[in-house]
């Protein structure tokens, strides 16, 4: 298969996913459709390396992850994280629900090793899945090594439609309140953003704006990503810290001190391509899920994901009640553990666009729904899952 044919096929799948999402008004999220089509492709005529063949090998994907996570750090300030303390507690409650239910009931049906391998990928992303997969392989647990990857790539099949469902309910409620004058537009955030834009790039305040080119934006993102990697390597002899976690932290810090501006990647006109590459990398993980392998691990896969979702709902519902957050928003935040970024961003935007065509209403919904979804995904997928993986792998 030629490179351009491979590129046409994989991008066509992403477009079909978008098309279905638009036609169904986000009831069927694009990432769900794309995942199904990729799986069918790998089971029929796709070469195993179709994503790399199309031009997105793992090295390129990792580069994009560094840039994207650093860029996401520019969207969050220390003040914003402080404002989202309820979101953080709800996200942690959902993760606790997964752990409690799986250890409480999962160990009755499966051995402890299966539960240990299942939890970190279920809570997080590719990093935690790879840690558990490699740890299981080193322990001679071949099937569990595959199970770690498959549960990571399959958990979204439960998370995507559930999230779309509860976000649509939450969005309709917020929209109704706004139209009835019961919900105020968050003009304060917009004003703060306007002030922050004036104060952006404080370290380069004397530099003429004409020198702040796209390449300079990429350079600064790359420097921050490299510092995160370097710090991770320096800490490695003492404690294992994912460079991706540090990218997020360093992105927040670099923006606060004026080294990066908000939405750096968008301003460098690279966000769309970066999302394209990252999504292809995520779906590339489906190539290991052969039909025979899926049948062999189908039962523990379904049960672990089912128990995980139940645990998230119960614990996030309780925490939401305590913090006076709607059960829909609380459940949606906890569900971000099943996929993280960029799916949390994509699904939320798709739902908002499906609910209204009025730009002002979309801004209102975005200001209320997107920040908690992003923060929830960061806490679970980017931070907690890696910590859990580093802890649980030692018990295999």
């Amino acid at each position: 298969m030629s490179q351009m044919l491979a590129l046409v096929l994989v991008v066509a799948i992403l477009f079909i996913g978008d098309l279905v999402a638009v036609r169904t008004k986000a009831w069927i999220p694009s990432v769900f459709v794309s995942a199904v089509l990729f799986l069918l492709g790998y089971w029929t005529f796709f070469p195993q390396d179709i994503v790399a063949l199309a031009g997105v090998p793992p090295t390129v994907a990792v580069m994009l992850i560094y840039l994207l996570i650093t860029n996401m750090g520019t969207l969050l300030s220390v003040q914003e994280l402080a404002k989202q303390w309820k979101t953080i507690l709800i996200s942690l409650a959902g993760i606790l629900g997964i752990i409690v239910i799986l250890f409480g009931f999962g160990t009755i049906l499966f051995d402890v090793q299966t539960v240990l391998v299942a939890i970190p990928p279920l809570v997080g992303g590719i990093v935690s899945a790879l840690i558990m997969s490699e740890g299981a392989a080193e322990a001679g647990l071949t099937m569990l090594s595959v199970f770690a990857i498959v549960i990571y790539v399959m958990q979204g099949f439960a998370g995507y439609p559930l999230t779309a469902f509860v976000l649509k309910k939450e969005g309709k409620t917020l929209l109704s309140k706004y139209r009835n004058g019961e919900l105020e537009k968050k003009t304060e955030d917009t004003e703060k953003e306007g002030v922050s834009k004036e104060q952006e790039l404080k370290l380069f305040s004397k530099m003429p704006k004409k020198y702040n080119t796209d390449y300079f934006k990429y350079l600064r993102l790359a420097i921050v990503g490299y510092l995160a990697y370097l710090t991770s390597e320096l800490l490695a002899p003492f404690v294992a810290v994912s460079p991706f976690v540090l990218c997020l932290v360093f992105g927040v810090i670099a923006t606060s001190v004026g080294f990066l501006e908000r939405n750096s990647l968008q301003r460098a006109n690279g966000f769309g391509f970066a999302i394209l590459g990252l999504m292809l990398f995520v779906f590339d993980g489906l190539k290991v899920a052969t039909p025979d392998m899926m049948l062999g691990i189908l039962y523990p896969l379904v049960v672990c994901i089912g128990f995980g979702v139940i645990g998230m709902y119960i614990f996030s519902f309780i925490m939401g009640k305590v913090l006076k957050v709607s059960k829909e928003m609380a459940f949606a935040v906890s569900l971000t553990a099943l996929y993280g970024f960029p799916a949390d961003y994509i699904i939320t935007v798709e739902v908002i666009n499906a609910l209204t065509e009025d730009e002002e209403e979309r801004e209102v919904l975005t200001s209320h729904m997107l920040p908690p979804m992003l923060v929830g995904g960061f806490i679970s997928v980017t931070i907690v899952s890696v910590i859990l993986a580093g802890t649980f792998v030692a018990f295999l």
Side-chain angles (χ1 to χ4, degrees):
M1 183 179 288
S2 68
Q3 178 180 3
M4 292 312 297
L5 176 57
L7 182 62
V8 167
L9 288 173
V10 296
V11 176
I13 285 179
L14 297 181
F15 170 68
I16 292 171
D18 276 346
L19 191 64
V20 173
V22 172
R23 291 289 295 175
T24 61
K25 295 186 176 180
W27 282 112
I28 305 177
S30 64
V31 282
F32 177 77
V33 176
S34 298
V36 171
L37 292 177
F38 263 98
L39 195 59
L40 293 175
Y42 283 123
W43 287 359
T44 52
F45 66 97
F46 277 10
Q48 292 292 294
D49 61 343
I50 188 171
V51 172
L53 191 60
V56 188
T59 51
V60 172
V62 171
M63 173 196 71
L64 295 177
I65 293 173
Y66 272 101
L67 294 178
L68 279 164
I69 295 182
T70 303
N71 181 71
M72 294 311 295
T74 70
L75 300 178
L76 296 171
S77 63
V78 176
Q79 293 81 5
E80 179 65 27
L81 288 174
K83 285 193 299 182
Q84 293 293 334
W85 64 272
K86 290 185 178 181
T87 299
I88 294 173
L89 290 179
I90 290 171
S91 179
L92 293 175
I95 293 170
L96 182 61
I98 294 175
I99 296 172
V100 170
I101 297 297
L102 274 178
F103 271 115
F105 296 95
T107 49
I108 298 174
L109 302 174
F110 316 112
D111 55 58
V112 176
Q113 290 174 322
T114 300
V115 174
L116 286 172
V117 169
I119 290 175
L122 196 57
V123 170
I126 187 62
V127 176
S128 56
L130 289 174
I131 291 173
M132 298 311 297
S133 179
E134 292 172 5
E138 290 175 2
L141 306 170
T142 306
M143 183 62 77
L144 290 182
S145 175
V146 175
F147 180 58
I149 297 296
V150 174
I151 199 169
Y152 158 70
V153 298
M154 298 299 291
Q155 61 191 354
F157 283 60
Y160 302 151
L162 276 175
T163 304
F165 176 74
V166 294
L167 278 182
K168 283 182 81 73
K169 291 190 67 176
E170 175 70 9
K172 286 179 179 178
T173 302
L174 292 175
L175 207 52
S176 177
K177 288 182 177 179
Y178 177 69
R179 289 170 177 172
N180 293 333
E182 300 173 21
L183 184 70
E184 294 184 1
K185 183 180 178 182
K186 289 192 173 182
T187 52
E188 183 182 353
D189 289 345
T190 305
E191 291 168 1
K192 284 182 179 178
E193 185 177 341
V195 173
S196 67
K197 283 181 179 179
E198 294 175 2
Q199 297 175 344
E200 277 180 343
L201 296 182
K202 288 178 285 188
L203 298 183
F204 305 98
S205 58
K206 295 182 180 180
M207 183 186 74
K209 290 184 178 180
K210 64 182 178 180
Y211 295 122
N212 187 19
T213 65
D214 290 349
Y215 291 137
F216 188 52
K217 294 181 179 71
Y218 280 120
L219 173 63
R220 285 180 281 118
L221 281 170
I223 289 173
V224 175
Y226 175 65
L227 290 176
Y229 165 79
L230 193 61
T231 303
S232 176
E233 289 294 302
L234 292 173
L235 292 174
F238 311 102
V239 60
V241 181
S242 170
F244 300 133
V245 174
L246 295 175
C247 278
L248 180 66
V249 175
F250 281 25
V252 173
I253 295 172
T255 307
S256 300
V257 301
F259 185 76
L260 293 176
E261 61 263 78
R262 290 173 64 89
N263 295 309
S264 295
L265 202 53
Q266 285 92 329
R267 295 186 184 187
N269 299 306
F271 186 76
F273 176 76
I275 290 291
L276 169 69
L278 182 59
M279 291 308 299
L280 292 179
F281 178 63
V282 169
F283 294 132
D284 184 51
L286 288 169
K287 66 186 178 185
V288 302
T290 64
D292 290 340
M293 193 180 299
M294 288 299 298
L295 287 175
I297 60 178
L298 183 60
Y299 176 61
L301 179 71
V302 172
V303 172
C304 286
I305 292 177
F307 279 165
V309 170
I310 292 170
M312 282 190 288
Y313 178 75
I314 294 172
F315 278 65
S316 66
F317 176 81
I318 295 171
M319 185 61 72
K321 278 286 187 183
V322 172
L323 299 176
K324 294 181 170 36
V325 175
S326 70
K327 62 179 183 295
E328 289 84 8
M329 197 68 234
F331 191 30
V333 166
S334 66
L335 282 170
T336 59
L338 296 180
Y339 42 81
F341 179 82
D344 52 3
Y345 175 87
I346 293 171
I347 293 173
T348 307
V349 171
E350 283 181 352
V351 167
I352 291 170
N353 290 340
L355 287 172
T356 178
E357 294 183 0
D358 183 273
E359 283 303 318
E360 187 170 318
E361 290 181 344
R362 285 180 175 178
E363 288 177 8
V364 172
L365 292 180
T366 299
S367 66
H368 283 274
M369 294 168 64
L370 189 57
M373 289 296 288
L374 291 177
V375 173
F378 287 142
I379 294 299
S380 58
V381 175
T382 312
I383 300 175
V384 179
S385 69
V386 177
I387 296 172
L388 286 177
T391 303
F392 286 5
V393 75
F395 294 97
L396 293 179

